[in-house]
Amino acid sequence: MTDLLLKYIDINDLEGVILYCFIILLISWLFSWIFRKLMVLFLNKSQTIIGSTNVTSLRFAKNSVKFVFFLIAFILIIGTVPFLRRQATIIFSGAGILAAIIGFAAQAAISNLIAGVFIVIFKPFRIGDYIKLDKERVGIVVDITLRHTVINTFENKRLIIPNSIISTESILNHTIEESRVLSFNNLKIGLNADIDLVRQIILEEAEKLEYSTVDDDNNAAEVRVIDIYESYIHIRAYVWISEPFKEFRMKCKLKERVHKRFLEENIEMPIPKRKVIS
């Protein structure tokens, strides 16, 4: 292919070099696009046999193919253009220090690439998983590239974390096995409140939640008295939610609805007790 191009393009002048590089990159992009399309068609065809296509592996493979084709194109351009080949020879022939600097700078890129491969192989998280690294870094994994992992947060912001960093973090994955989560909802009632009526109200409102589900014993929720203090009773509602990403919204809805029911049923609310010393 390069021999054919060199017959019609003079790569000894600037215009010829630019045209040659453009054609090589265009051909590389075209082959990359065709290869990725064939890969998707093959995986979609095998889906009927295997059962399901791994979106994470597919996306990572597509990114890898694009990178490999453009790397080949870059090496091909350096090797065939005389001016660039001479410059590369000069640089690398006496570049012991430069090579060491480049190698040191490339460590981060290589570590990210290896970490990305490990993430795809061992699957601590996948595209579409709801993960939590800490209080600020929480969201849905939307992409895993050769260099970084992209997380879409609750604020609809893109959080980009290098693969070498996220692969060493302790990650809370809400959806690696199943999406169902147990939501803790803490409430306070007065000391003279009817606990049985409170429990009934909470259970009724929990079953009405949009993403409410059941546990292994077919219970949507459970209400327990955690402790009794001098001014209130601490109640905790354990509610099963089918969508982890909707947990906070469901907690807010449950507390609002339960509070309204408490007012309707005249449930005694906690009253702080203070000692006044004169």
Side-chain angles (χ1 to χ4, degrees), residues 131-148:
I131 66 173
K132 178 179 180 181
L133 281 72
D134 49 43
K135 291 183 179 180
E136 288 77 25
R137 296 180 294 178
V138 182
I140 300 291
V141 179
V142 295
D143 198 8
I144 301 174
T145 70
L146 296 174
R147 181 186 177 277
H148 54 258

Side-chain angles (χ1 to χ4, degrees), residues 212-271:
S212 175
T213 185
V214 296
D215 60 10
D216 297 334
D217 297 324
N218 206 34
N219 296 319
E222 184 177 357
V223 179
R224 298 176 184 172
V225 175
I226 301 302
D227 209 339
I228 300 176
Y229 299 92
E230 62 179 9
S231 59
Y232 67 90
I233 300 175
H234 181 189
I235 298 287
R236 179 175 295 165
Y238 302 84
V239 183
W240 287 98
I241 304 295
S242 61
E243 292 291 337
F245 205 58
K246 305 292 183 180
E247 181 188 4
F248 180 74
R249 183 181 299 179
M250 295 302 103
K251 288 169 72 78
C252 295
K253 285 186 176 181
L254 179 63
K255 290 181 179 180
E256 178 183 349
R257 294 174 181 177
V258 167
H259 180 72
K260 290 179 179 179
R261 286 287 304 276
F262 282 178
L263 295 178
E264 293 175 2
E265 302 290 344
N266 295 319
I267 298 297
E268 181 184 343
M269 305 303 288
I271 301 175

Side-chain angles (χ1 to χ4, degrees), residues 190-205:
L191 292 174
N192 297 318
D194 187 340
I195 296 178
D196 293 331
L197 180 57
V198 167
R199 179 178 287 108
Q200 178 183 343
I201 291 173
I202 295 175
L203 293 177
E204 289 176 357
E205 296 302 325

Side-chain angles (χ1 to χ4, degrees), residues 55-260:
V55 178
T56 303
S57 300
L58 176 60
R59 186 78 64 86
F60 188 83
K62 289 171 66 177
N63 292 330
S64 302
V65 166
K66 188 187 300 183
F67 172 78
V68 169
F69 271 95
F70 277 100
L71 180 62
I72 293 172
F74 176 77
I75 295 174
L76 189 62
I77 291 172
I78 294 294
T80 54
V81 177
F83 171 74
L84 297 177
R85 185 170 62 248
R86 287 195 300 269
Q87 296 301 318
T89 303
I90 293 172
I91 291 173
F92 288 104
S93 60
I97 298 177
L98 181 61
I101 294 174
I102 294 174
F104 180 78
Q107 286 182 0
I110 295 173
S111 63
N112 285 326
L113 176 60
I114 295 174
V117 172
F118 284 168
I119 289 172
V120 173
I121 293 175
F122 296 107
K123 298 180 178 63
F125 55 85
R126 304 151 301 178
I127 291 177
D129 281 3
Y130 170 32
I131 66 173
K132 178 179 180 181
L133 281 72
D134 49 43
K135 291 183 179 180
E136 288 77 25
R137 296 180 294 178
V138 182
I140 300 291
V141 179
V142 295
D143 198 8
I144 301 174
T145 70
L146 296 174
R147 181 186 177 277
H148 54 258
T149 297
V150 183
I151 299 174
N152 190 27
T153 67
F154 284 105
E155 299 173 337
N156 200 30
K157 297 177 181 178
R158 293 297 190 273
L159 181 62
I160 300 174
I161 306 174
N163 289 332
S164 59
I165 294 178
I166 197 171
S167 63
T168 59
E169 294 276 356
S170 297
I171 300 173
L172 177 61
N173 191 329
H174 290 276
T175 51
I176 192 167
E177 292 294 338
E178 61 173 343
S179 60
R180 185 182 62 173
V181 294
L182 183 61
S183 175
F184 288 14
N185 300 267
N186 295 304
L187 301 164
K188 297 178 182 179
I189 58 175
L191 292 174
N192 297 318
D194 187 340
I195 296 178
D196 293 331
L197 180 57
V198 167
R199 179 178 287 108
Q200 178 183 343
I201 291 173
I202 295 175
L203 293 177
E204 289 176 357
E205 296 302 325
E207 292 178 355
K208 296 177 184 178
L209 292 175
E210 182 180 358
Y211 295 98
S212 175
T213 185
V214 296
D215 60 10
D216 297 334
D217 297 324
N218 206 34
N219 296 319
E222 184 177 357
V223 179
R224 298 176 184 172
V225 175
I226 301 302
D227 209 339
I228 300 176
Y229 299 92
E230 62 179 9
S231 59
Y232 67 90
I233 300 175
H234 181 189
I235 298 287
R236 179 175 295 165
Y238 302 84
V239 183
W240 287 98
I241 304 295
S242 61
E243 292 291 337
F245 205 58
K246 305 292 183 180
E247 181 188 4
F248 180 74
R249 183 181 299 179
M250 295 302 103
K251 288 169 72 78
C252 295
K253 285 186 176 181
L254 179 63
K255 290 181 179 180
E256 178 183 349
R257 294 174 181 177
V258 167
H259 180 72
K260 290 179 179 179

